[in-house]
Amino acid sequence: QEACEARGCTWCSSDVPNAPWCFFPENSPYGYARSGNPEQTDKGWRVTLNKRQALSLFGNDISPIVLEVEFQTKDRLRFRLYDPNAQRFEVPLKIDGPGVTAEEANYEVE
């Protein structure tokens, strides 16, 4: 806990299996922040994310990026992060599902 908080992270113990106890706070200068409101698609949502500030953990950051969330089945969610301004390699794996709504899924997405 001390090492986590010394890095400026948030510590929150949890009984949820495999949940992280140490994570970046919402106002962290790292990572990405949502730009605008999520856009509803035929199978889920699409949202644009922009890099926060100039700090980088790994370098060569891309900004903006797009996050697409697709409700494929009641038990399977697909998410895809991609660069909207440049074509990059993507694993050529097509996994289609019947498509369900968020209300039909056995999981929640926030």
Side-chain angles (χ1 to χ4, degrees):
Q1 180 175 351
E2 288 179 22
C4 172
E5 292 172 345
R7 286 191 304 267
C9 293
T10 299
W11 177 267
C12 181
S13 60
S14 172
D15 292 334
V16 177
N18 300 317
W21 289 16
C22 181
F23 50 88
F24 292 126
E26 189 173 336
N27 62 352
S28 169
Y30 300 107
Y32 292 79
R34 186 178 75 204
S35 173
N37 292 320
E39 171 189 342
Q40 186 117 20
T41 65
D42 289 343
K43 297 181 178 182
W45 299 317
R46 179 181 302 117
V47 65
T48 300
L49 305 169
N50 287 306
K51 179 83 175 75
R52 291 184 183 191
Q53 298 187 15
L55 299 176
S56 177
L57 291 174
F58 306 106
N60 298 325
D61 299 319
I62 299 167
S63 188
I65 59 173
V66 174
L67 168 65
E68 285 187 358
V69 176
E70 183 178 308
F71 299 96
Q72 289 197 331
T73 71
K74 289 185 176 191
D75 297 306
R76 186 177 69 219
L77 174 85
R78 177 184 186 210
F79 70 92
R80 177 178 168 234
L81 288 166
Y82 65 91
D83 182 347
N85 298 316
Q87 187 172 359
R88 297 173 183 272
F89 175 79
E90 291 188 39
V91 176
L93 180 63
K94 299 289 184 194
I95 302 176
D96 291 321
V100 296
T101 65
E103 293 78 27
E104 296 171 310
N106 291 327
Y107 48 84
E108 293 181 27
V109 178
E110 291 184 30

